[in-house]
Amino acid sequence: MAEDPSAAQGGARLRDQLASPYALTAIAALVVFVILITGSPTFLIYDEGYYMAGATMLAGGASFRELLLAPLNVPAGPLYSVTHWLASPFTGLEAPGVRWVSFVLLVATWGATGYVLAAQKLDAPWRRAAMLLAVPMLWVTSGMALTEGPAMAFVCFAVAAAAWAMTGQKKARVWAGFLIAGLCFGLAVLGRQPYLPAAIGFLCIALFRARLRWPALAAFLIVLGATAPVFAIWGGILPPRMAGEVSGGRLAPFNGFLAFCYLGVMLAILAPDFFLKQWRVALPAGIIGAVIGLIVGGVGFEVAAGLVARLPEDYAPLFQRVAAGALMGGALAVIAASGAHLWARRDDHAFVLCMLLMLGLTATAAGIVHQFSSRYVLATLPFSLIVIQPFFRVSHWAALRLAIGALLGMAFLSNYFALDPFTTDCTHGPYGVYCSR
């Protein structure tokens, strides 16, 4: 039988794509992920012990209501606990098995993002989506059993379901897609409550797309319906024990500003053209922010503490000063560039919506008053990866940025696995010993 020429050409194109520097870099990053997780500590570290307590409860026969009302030292919703409880037959709720759950969710996030970009008819959608591996903070979340992974994955599933709905013409597909999107987004909110304000995106779709009005409204109502029972039991959006500590009705504006600092760094790695296309406003704003950061000399906490611990003592203050300049410059630059892009692309409703969701989710860090973590910026990633697409293309330059971001992420994750202050911070509570050395 003669070979189909089109199939042969397609196979050749696929081989060429997989052999490109960009694809090889992404594959290498995944391999490094696997190696790091495989060799990671055989006990729970950092926040893993705190959060795994809920899954341990469920595995021990506790009811869902008992989980919600348990005096656990965790502010996040129950999605994490339920996810790891469901995976417990495979992980035994022990390390490093529980970390593979995060890795699987990372791969699923990649696939869902690739589908969304394919629905937008972009070239090389899954290779474009692989750029998420360039986000250094993602390595800590997806290499450890932390709460951001499940929530972010379900947001990506929701966006993919909405994209599937919006690219269809049949009413059954549109309704099914939005109902699935609402359910997935509701589950995401039950993983990380800061996603709740982003549910307004469904209302925006209903406002601007008459054909999608009622399905999008239904999705919004499903988000409320999925989260309301949990919030009713808690008496708010946080567990009663944590409400006063984490928020208590207060705001921490500086934490919100720090989130914009790290958003600027993330976007600079993902797509520098996001800034370069609006350099007339981004450059002056970035310079002003950098000067302020250099003068102030710090951002209120030690940046990249694990890496700083390995620097010569005399260089640590210089590193913090330079880091402060870079972070504050990035914050003002991203705010200025975002405003300029919103105006320039104001007729592109999908872009405007994703941009506003990205900026809004960044600002939610101001509602977390007890601490700040660069991982909070990952909440924006499902929308940031869409926002950057007009300013991104698969290239050797993108491969280099992917490699740099992945190397930084690898260093951060390796430090979490190696440093004593993290491995000895174990929790002992009424539900058993969750980690031991």
Side-chain angles (χ1 to χ4, degrees):
M1 181 181 294
E3 184 178 1
D4 183 355
S6 61
Q9 292 173 359
R13 283 197 300 270
L14 179 60
R15 287 192 296 272
D16 291 342
Q17 291 173 358
L18 291 177
S20 69
Y22 182 89
L24 291 175
T25 303
I27 293 170
L30 284 178
V31 171
V32 172
F33 246 125
V34 170
I35 293 172
L36 287 175
I37 294 174
T38 302
S40 66
T42 56
F43 46 87
L44 302 179
I45 60 175
Y46 193 54
D47 285 347
E48 291 177 331
Y50 293 99
Y51 285 107
M52 201 57 63
T56 303
M57 281 187 64
L58 293 175
S63 68
F64 188 68
R65 183 181 179 85
E66 288 173 330
L67 169 67
L68 294 177
L69 295 177
L72 300 177
N73 191 33
V74 295
L79 176 66
Y80 176 95
S81 298
V82 173
T83 299
H84 281 277
W85 169 57
L86 293 175
S88 61
F90 306 99
T91 67
L93 296 180
E94 296 180 351
V98 291
R99 298 182 189 118
W100 288 112
V101 175
S102 298
F103 182 77
V104 170
L105 289 171
L106 168 64
V107 174
T109 296
W110 182 353
T113 302
Y115 176 81
V116 173
L117 300 183
Q120 294 181 314
K121 301 189 183 305
L122 295 172
D123 63 292
W126 280 273
R127 285 190 291 161
R128 287 174 175 267
M131 202 63 187
L132 61 84
L133 296 170
V135 179
M137 301 84 81
L138 184 77
W139 283 68
V140 175
T141 288
S142 297
M144 296 171 63
L146 301 178
T147 58
E148 291 86 2
M152 184 174 64
F154 273 92
V155 171
C156 289
F157 299 158
V159 175
W164 179 70
M166 289 189 287
T167 53
Q169 298 301 319
K170 294 183 178 181
K171 286 186 177 180
R173 172 170 168 171
V174 173
W175 274 95
F178 273 104
L179 294 179
I180 294 171
L183 178 60
C184 289
F185 205 94
L187 293 174
V189 173
L190 292 178
R192 297 286 298 181
Q193 296 92 310
Y195 277 119
L196 181 60
I200 201 171
F202 290 120
L203 295 181
C204 293
I205 293 172
L207 180 64
F208 290 104
R209 298 289 294 273
R211 182 177 73 90
L212 307 173
R213 179 168 299 142
W214 297 114
L217 285 174
F220 177 76
L221 293 176
I222 288 176
V223 174
L224 298 183
T227 56
V230 172
F231 295 160
I233 292 173
W234 282 345
I237 65 171
L238 290 167
R241 183 179 183 276
M242 300 299 296
E245 179 181 344
V246 175
S247 178
R250 297 165 292 159
L251 288 177
F254 190 64
N255 286 354
F257 179 74
L258 286 176
F260 279 97
C261 293
Y262 280 94
L263 177 66
V265 173
M266 186 176 79
L267 293 179
I269 295 173
L270 290 175
D273 276 1
F274 180 87
F275 299 97
L276 296 177
K277 293 290 186 182
Q278 296 292 349
W279 67 270
R280 288 179 176 83
V281 294
L283 181 61
I287 291 174
I288 292 171
V291 171
I292 294 173
L294 289 171
I295 293 173
V296 172
V299 291
F301 65 94
E302 194 172 49
V303 179
L307 291 179
V308 171
R310 299 185 177 186
L311 292 176
E313 187 175 347
D314 292 341
Y315 289 95
L318 176 62
F319 176 86
Q320 292 302 319
R321 187 172 292 274
V322 172
L327 288 173
M328 292 191 181
L332 294 189
V334 77
I335 293 171
S338 295
H341 284 307
L342 281 171
W343 177 253
R345 304 178 69 90
R346 58 191 178 277
D347 294 327
D348 185 345
H349 292 164
F351 177 87
V352 170
L353 176 59
C354 288
M355 175 75 83
L356 291 176
L357 290 174
M358 179 186 78
L359 298 176
L361 286 169
T362 303
T364 61
I368 305 174
V369 302
H370 69 299
Q371 66 177 23
F372 174 81
S373 171
S374 61
R375 301 196 314 274
Y376 297 160
V377 182
L378 292 177
T380 73
L381 199 54
F383 305 105
S384 301
L385 288 171
I386 299 173
V387 166
I388 66 165
Q389 294 310 313
F391 320 106
F392 174 84
R393 66 185 182 89
V394 175
S395 64
H396 291 356
W397 170 223
L400 178 60
R401 299 198 311 276
L402 197 160
I404 292 172
L407 286 171
L408 285 173
M410 178 182 68
F412 294 156
L413 180 58
S414 297
N415 280 318
Y416 275 84
F417 287 157
L419 292 180
D420 283 345
F422 294 109
T423 59
T424 56
D425 184 18
C426 296
T427 304
H428 301 265
Y431 304 104
V433 179
Y434 309 129
C435 53
S436 61
R437 195 167 183 193

